[in-house]
Amino acid sequence: MSASNPVPLKVGLVGGSSGFISKAHQHAIFMDGTRRVVAGALSSDPVKAKRSASEWPYPIKGYDSYDAMLQDELAKPKVERLDYVLILTPNHAHFDPAKRFLEAGIPVFCEKPLTLTVEESVELRERVESRAIPFCVAHTYLGHWTTRLARFIVRSGLLGKVRWVDASYIQSWMAIRSRDPKFKDTVWRIDPSKSGLSNCGGDIGTHALMQMRYITGLEVEALSAHLESLVPLGGPEEDQLDDHFTVYCRLNTGARALVRASQIAIGHKNDLRIEVNGERGSLRWAQEESEVLVVNLIDQPERVYVRGGVRANDGFFSDLPEELMSETVIPWGHSEGFHDAFARLHRCFEDDVRAYQAGAYNGSDGSQYATVRDGEIGMRFVEKAVESNRNGNAWTAL
Ligand SMILES: NC(=O)c1ccc[n+]([C@@H]2O[C@H](COP(=O)([O-])OP(=O)(O)OC[C@H]3O[C@@H](n4cnc5c(N)ncnc54)[C@H](O)[C@@H]3O)[C@@H](O)[C@H]2O)c1
């Protein structure tokens, strides 16, 4: 946890003039009083970038490009520079600002999917590792307290050896976008030059994969994938990026997993969920009911764990980790959700940034947030899924 009354960290934004995710990050940055946005190159349009900064709810320094923001930082003494940069641009505009701010020694918090190509993500990972500098990929849902509890339960062995994982992220926006004006700005997601090799897989399949890897600790060794475009956009189907992404996986312990995502399922909003089945029991978690975790063990009544209501010794657990139990949470009975999950990621990242500044940062083990390596694995997963699909759904090693 952060020291009491520290000087707030100075955060600079790249992107953020639009997009609901920008607002979510702002809440999360502000939540503890120990971080604040001080600067931003908020749009690719220089005029809009400056205007958006001038309309920010409190004074921040606006730049017409992230290059101008970087040059300004480089001209300052190190202690006065931004403490970290948050990248909120579409996928094709993650790599260049991330690389350049890292090069300047400034830690980076970057939206997912990490980059446009695997090669770019490898380059970022190598830079992060060679400089030993904090880097977070914004896999939001790792920040839910119940995701952390699920990770502890599965890794404690309570469910026995994992046999099967079903991780899915189901939305409807592709099916309803022509009718709903709020989806008109999402057009870059279906443009391969801005989105990457996959729309649905990169955008939300990577979240489902990350949830599976984070909770179970298991890795995908090989996959067989179907990428489909079920909502016609006009042109030839083969030119269209996927809106329906289904990947059957062999994991490194011999367990199996289904990692799937869809944007065509009317009625589903932000339906990320996971079920882990082991030899002795199973666990279920869903983002839309994120305060609850359900555990079933053979011959035992179903247990529904509610955030805040979990005791260190409830008959199942004798030793919940201190860091989990002492996590900053709102008292039970008061809803926690998306913003709190994001805040938990920024809070953990803050700890690493402060350690880095004190010369005491030894790298992230991935237990608090998704690392640049996780981002690279997500990119590789999507690339191999595209390859498998192209080769008639052939089993493809990762
Ligand atoms: N973690 C999550 O749950 C989550 C949710 C939504 C979006 N995202 C990710 O966030 C990113 C942005 O998505 P969005 O839906 O907010 O997109 P958006 O199009 O709504 O917003 C993108 C913003 O980036 C700005 N921008 C583009 N190029 C720029 C540049 N060169 N310099 C400065 N600003 C630039 C745009 O002006 C705009 O303000 C994507 O990578 C997306 O995958 C993550």
Side-chain angles (χ1 to χ4, degrees):
M1 289 293 104
S2 314
S4 55
N5 297 326
V7 175
L9 295 187
K10 303 180 290 302
V11 183
L13 305 188
V14 178
S17 65
S18 62
F20 92 99
I21 211 65
S22 164
K23 281 256 162 50
H25 277 287
Q26 284 172 49
H27 289 308
I29 288 168
F30 205 67
M31 205 174 267
D32 299 303
T34 55
R35 308 170 290 272
R36 64 171 181 231
V37 176
V38 298
L42 301 175
S43 172
S44 52
D45 170 347
V47 176
K48 193 170 168 201
K50 293 281 258 206
R51 192 182 62 235
S52 301
S54 70
E55 290 168 354
W56 204 254
Y58 50 90
I60 64 168
K61 180 146 190 193
Y63 295 90
D64 56 15
S65 69
Y66 62 80
D67 182 55
M69 185 162 92
L70 177 63
Q71 295 315 319
D72 208 16
E73 290 308 304
L74 292 173
K76 293 177 189 167
K78 272 196 169 155
V79 290
E80 289 175 24
R81 288 183 188 166
L82 292 170
D83 296 300
Y84 67 96
V85 163
L86 171 62
I87 299 178
L88 299 168
T89 49
N91 309 350
H92 72 290
H94 291 175
F95 173 67
D96 189 60
K99 179 178 77 166
R100 294 177 62 200
F101 280 96
L102 286 174
E103 212 39 41
I106 297 177
V108 172
F109 196 123
C110 183
E111 263 306 342
K112 46 48 61 180
L114 180 54
T115 47
L116 207 60
T117 64
V118 171
E119 291 69 31
E120 288 174 348
S121 57
V122 169
E123 192 176 332
L124 284 188
R125 190 207 7 100
E126 287 173 354
R127 274 169 201 258
V128 167
E129 286 174 357
S130 67
R131 290 188 148 263
I133 185 168
F135 192 104
C136 172
V137 182
H139 279 294
T140 322
Y141 309 100
L142 307 192
H144 285 285
W145 193 86
T146 40
T147 299
R148 277 53 170 148
L149 179 63
R151 173 182 164 97
F152 172 77
I153 290 175
V154 174
R155 289 170 181 238
S156 74
L158 186 74
L159 309 181
K161 190 169 180 233
V162 173
R163 289 174 169 149
W164 165 247
V165 186
D166 191 346
S168 58
Y169 198 154
I170 312 295
Q171 298 179 331
S172 57
W173 71 269
M174 279 293 284
I176 59 174
R177 70 187 278 276
S178 60
R179 290 161 188 275
D180 191 333
K182 81 168 168 287
F183 296 115
K184 77 175 168 23
D185 292 337
T186 52
V187 73
W188 65 260
R189 283 185 165 77
I190 49 181
D191 173 353
S193 69
K194 297 198 165 101
S195 194
L197 286 173
S198 153
N199 158 33
C200 185
D203 194 27
I204 55 177
T206 51
H207 274 308
L209 173 75
M210 191 64 234
Q211 210 68 10
M212 191 278 285
R213 294 182 51 246
Y214 180 79
I215 289 175
T216 65
L218 303 179
E219 297 291 349
V220 178
E221 269 190 357
L223 57 77
S224 165
H226 291 253
L227 274 70
E228 287 147 318
S229 316
L230 301 181
V231 176
L233 295 179
E237 192 191 323
E238 58 277 16
D239 291 351
Q240 217 178 291
L241 289 181
D242 55 302
D243 53 28
H244 196 71
F245 176 89
T246 311
V247 184
Y248 200 82
C249 307
R250 283 204 301 261
L251 306 181
N252 56 343
T253 54
R256 300 287 192 266
L258 184 60
V259 176
R260 65 195 176 97
S262 182
Q263 297 160 331
I264 63 104
I266 295 167
H268 289 260
K269 298 177 185 72
N270 200 48
D271 191 1
L272 170 66
R273 56 180 64 226
I274 183 165
E275 179 167 329
V276 182
N277 287 277
E279 291 166 335
R280 287 196 291 276
S282 69
L283 168 151
R284 274 176 284 145
W285 179 90
Q287 191 280 143
E288 291 182 1
E289 291 165 31
S290 66
E291 298 222 278
V292 173
L293 189 64
V294 179
V295 175
N296 279 276
L297 294 189
I298 293 175
D299 296 335
Q300 301 248 6
E302 179 170 274
R303 294 195 179 212
V304 180
Y305 288 96
V306 180
R307 181 191 60 78
V310 181
R311 284 174 290 117
N313 186 348
D314 79 334
F316 272 5
F317 315 119
S318 50
D319 55 352
L320 275 171
E322 171 56 27
E323 75 235 32
L324 187 65
M325 298 309 279
S326 63
E327 248 287 9
T328 308
V329 287
I330 309 171
W332 68 331
H334 302 78
S335 319
E336 259 201 20
F338 187 68
H339 292 133
D340 303 271
F342 250 134
R344 193 162 284 119
L345 301 186
H346 278 278
R347 191 177 302 132
C348 293
F349 191 64
E350 173 182 346
D351 287 344
D352 284 353
V353 169
R354 290 191 188 277
Y356 168 70
Q357 291 172 343
Y361 175 67
N362 297 315
S364 166
D365 64 3
S367 63
Q368 304 300 312
Y369 53 81
T371 63
V372 69
R373 182 175 167 275
D374 293 319
E376 179 190 331
I377 290 172
M379 291 301 301
R380 211 174 280 286
F381 177 75
V382 170
E383 184 191 64
K384 292 295 171 184
V386 171
E387 187 181 317
S388 162
N389 181 64
R390 224 178 257 144
N391 297 331
N393 328 107
W395 280 99
T396 306
L398 225 68

